[in-house]
Amino acid sequence: QAQHIMSLVLTLPFLLTTMALLRQNWFPSRVFVGDTLPYLAGSLFAAVSIVGHFSKMMVLLLLPQIINALFSVPQVLRWIPIPRHRMPGFDQHTGLVKASYTDAFCEKDLKILGRATMWVLRTFRLADIQVVSHDAGTVRVTNLTLNCLCLYWFGDCREDILCVKLMLLQALCTMLAFAVRFGLTRYFFDVVR
């Protein structure tokens, strides 16, 4: 019981300030938090899940972030080229955000892990692979982030629409987490009868 109260005490101020920030950060954004908020949020989530003894539940709640991290591995480990910034691009003429791309590279120059990555991306339609030059064999690929994947699958959209789509993904993962936690408890968690 004490752990749950402590978790609530740690979480409530963060939740309230984040809601105020969301109001200021909604489209068109007036505040840019940079890396500060994600580091604070991650530290708080880790502390609360440890103190509250629900680290398995936290893994389920953070599923989109885990998927994004795993999806980014081929670029982060440089199996395929990685640009300095991987955020979606913005088209000033249409006012829409669009998937960003790597610089052009020669696919046959990739090492085995890079070629395997390209095969997976093509086979499962996980990235838009555009041929830049047939003669040189150069291509460019959408950056490997959930933002760019969402834009590739569903098309260019306004920033707030992209935000809503990603928030819906987070909500679905949250519902899945609660369904697993309370519907399938005996299969995933240690239950004392």
Side-chain angles (χ1 to χ4, degrees):
Q1 184 73 356
Q3 290 96 353
H4 295 294
I5 292 171
M6 182 58 125
S7 296
L8 183 63
V9 168
L10 287 171
T11 307
L12 195 58
F14 175 77
L15 180 64
L16 294 174
T17 55
T18 303
M19 295 306 280
L21 176 66
L22 180 62
R23 184 170 180 263
Q24 293 298 313
N25 205 30
W26 198 251
F27 181 80
S29 180
R30 293 175 293 282
V31 176
F32 180 71
V33 295
D35 290 341
T36 307
L37 183 66
Y39 290 148
L40 173 67
S43 301
L44 180 70
F45 290 157
V48 168
S49 67
I50 292 167
V51 169
H53 299 290
F54 56 89
S55 55
K56 293 174 190 171
M57 180 75 164
M58 188 56 63
V59 168
L60 292 171
L61 288 171
L62 294 176
L63 203 54
Q65 289 75 20
I66 293 168
I67 291 168
N68 190 55
L70 293 174
F71 188 48
S72 297
V73 163
Q75 278 190 310
V76 172
L77 296 181
R78 299 185 189 282
W79 298 346
I80 64 172
I82 181 172
R84 180 165 161 71
H85 297 288
R86 298 184 312 139
M87 292 302 295
F90 179 72
D91 186 343
Q92 289 183 334
H93 299 296
T94 62
L96 302 177
V97 288
K98 56 185 182 174
S100 58
Y101 287 81
T102 63
D103 293 331
F105 62 93
C106 187
E107 195 171 346
K108 64 184 174 194
D109 292 342
L110 295 176
K111 295 182 179 166
I112 191 162
L113 289 173
R115 289 194 302 272
T117 298
M118 294 297 287
W119 179 85
V120 169
L121 294 176
R122 268 196 189 91
T123 303
F124 297 103
R125 292 195 62 236
L126 296 175
D128 183 22
I129 302 172
Q130 297 179 344
V131 176
V132 175
S133 169
H134 287 287
D135 298 335
T138 55
V139 295
R140 65 185 201 138
V141 180
T142 51
N143 286 306
L144 303 182
T145 64
L146 279 183
N147 293 341
C148 290
L149 181 62
C150 185
L151 290 166
Y152 167 54
W153 280 351
F154 302 111
D156 300 349
C157 62
R158 285 190 354 220
E159 180 183 349
D160 56 335
I161 302 299
L162 177 62
C163 182
V164 168
K165 288 176 183 176
L166 294 173
M167 287 173 70
L168 285 173
L169 174 64
Q170 183 68 57
L172 286 172
C173 288
T174 301
M175 287 189 284
L176 172 69
F178 281 107
V180 168
R181 176 65 178 101
F182 296 110
L184 305 171
T185 301
R186 65 176 167 250
Y187 301 111
F188 290 96
F189 297 91
D190 299 328
V191 178
V192 178
R193 294 189 182 265

